[in-house]
């Protein structure tokens, strides 16, 4: 593939992503667990229905072969809304989707059990911290307030 074709393919791939979602691949080759995608604006009307709330989500990916215990880890927004992972083990080379609304947790889908949206549509930052409160990863969109480490 020529360099021009590779750039064109990358541009087409970027256009295919919905405007309300952000893909993130950490620049650090050693990143084991990271936020791989965020859908901050659920499709359709923002009517606070459980269906709409659950279409707002954050994907957490484990890029290693080994499972990672996420018990006590947190996922938070700029306004201080925080979700704490409880009794969650993320298998190697897998992703778990953290939905905003109410639902039954499975290996691939977790639910914050909220009745209101968490992620701001115009700007926000999703921050992942480990069980000791140490920064793991973050994804920002729009005109956000800045990085928090």
């Amino acid at each position: 593939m020529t360099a021009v074709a590779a750039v064109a393919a990358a541009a087409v791939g970027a256009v295919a992503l919905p405007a309300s979602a952000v893909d993130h691949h950490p620049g650090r080759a050693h990143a084991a667990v990271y936020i791989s995608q965020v859908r901050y604006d659920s499709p359709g009307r923002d009517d606070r229905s459980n269906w709409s709330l659950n279409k707002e989500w954050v994907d957490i990916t484990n890029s290693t072969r080994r499972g990672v215990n996420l018990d006590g880890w947190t996922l938070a927004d700029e306004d201080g809304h925080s979700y704490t992972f409880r009794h969650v083990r993320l298998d190697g080379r897998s992703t778990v989707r953290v939905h905003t609304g109410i639902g039954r947790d499975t290996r691939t889908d977790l639910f914050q059990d909220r009745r209101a949206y968490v992620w701001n549509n115009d700007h926000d930052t999703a921050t992942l911290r480990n069980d000791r409160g140490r920064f793991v990863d973050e994804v920002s969109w729009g005109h956000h307030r800045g990085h928090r480490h």
Side-chain angles (χ1 to χ4, degrees):
M1 183 183 294
T2 66
V4 173
V7 169
V12 169
V15 172
L17 185 65
S20 63
V22 177
D23 267 331
H24 173 67
H25 302 283
R28 306 174 305 275
H30 65 278
V33 177
Y34 63 97
I35 299 169
S36 54
Q37 189 172 11
V38 178
R39 181 188 276 165
Y40 54 84
D41 185 5
S42 60
R45 284 183 353 148
D46 287 346
D47 60 6
R48 283 190 169 191
S49 69
N50 197 52
W51 180 89
S52 180
L53 290 167
N54 281 330
K55 294 300 180 184
E56 179 182 86
W57 44 256
V58 176
D59 283 348
I60 308 296
T61 297
N62 177 3
S63 64
T64 69
R65 291 182 184 184
R66 291 194 153 159
V68 175
N69 181 3
L70 298 182
D71 191 42
W73 287 42
T74 59
L75 178 64
D77 72 346
E78 288 181 353
D79 294 325
H81 299 106
S82 183
Y83 169 75
T84 301
F85 293 83
R86 299 283 181 222
H87 311 293
V88 176
R89 180 171 178 80
L90 184 56
D91 292 336
R93 295 199 170 124
S94 65
T95 297
V96 65
R97 181 163 286 174
V98 182
H99 302 270
T100 298
I102 298 168
R104 183 172 298 200
D105 292 346
T106 68
R107 280 187 14 209
T108 58
D109 293 276
L110 301 173
F111 297 86
Q112 296 188 49
D113 293 333
R114 296 182 182 273
R115 297 184 187 275
Y117 298 98
V118 171
W119 310 108
N120 296 332
N121 294 350
D122 57 348
H123 73 279
D124 213 337
T125 299
T127 303
L128 182 66
R129 294 185 181 275
N130 69 16
D131 59 338
R132 295 181 180 193
R134 291 194 181 126
F135 175 85
V136 174
D137 193 24
E138 73 180 10
V139 174
S140 297
W141 56 94
H143 298 288
H144 54 90
R145 297 178 196 153
H147 294 307
R148 299 180 314 178
H149 291 269

